[in-house]
Amino acid sequence: MRKIKYSRQREAIKEILSASSHPTADEIYVKVREEFPSVSLGTVYRNLNLLSECGEIQKLTFPEGPDHFDCDVSRHYHFICQHCGRVYDLRINDLSLSFEEGTELPGRIESEALTCYGTCNACMEKLESRAS
């Protein structure tokens, strides 16, 4: 893992990430501007990408919508609410990859990702209250 030079803006980004639940770059940008009014969105993106490349944060890319960022770099998975778009952590005890007999891998697996999609409890409550 490459060592990166200290930056007050980068530290602010990391603090925002640790106090937030999977924010987007735009959400982080709004909060960073409270402390650094002249910071640009490009600077926030560059710092997020650098932190991700160095393994200090996770960049979560989903097929629909913007990237989200996670300060938890431990092995875990995600649940996305298809109604409100909120991203939740999922802790799964064992996700064993098993392949059909005779399957030959085209290379070495170095990481995996699991994303579950559904409706979060808060959105289910709203939907149920509208239906009654």
Side-chain angles (χ1 to χ4, degrees), residues 84-98:
C84 67
R86 184 161 179 211
V87 180
Y88 296 85
D89 286 332
L90 280 181
R91 302 285 174 190
I92 299 173
N93 288 336
D94 183 27
L95 182 65
S96 300
L97 296 176
S98 60

Side-chain angles (χ1 to χ4, degrees), residues 98-117:
S98 60
F99 300 94
E100 290 181 17
E101 190 173 322
T103 299
E104 187 174 326
L105 294 176
R108 180 181 64 222
I109 296 173
E110 296 176 355
S111 67
E112 80 281 337
L114 171 70
T115 304
C116 299
Y117 296 87

Side-chain angles (χ1 to χ4, degrees), residues 40-52:
S40 71
L41 182 57
T43 297
V44 171
Y45 270 103
R46 278 190 297 281
N47 278 288
L48 288 168
N49 287 323
L50 178 63
L51 290 167
S52 175

Side-chain angles (χ1 to χ4, degrees), residues 14 17-20 22 56-58 69-74:
K14 287 168 58 176
L17 272 169
S18 66
S20 305
H22 308 95
E56 290 190 34
I57 65 171
Q58 284 189 52
F69 296 88
D70 192 349
C71 66
D72 182 354
V73 294
S74 68

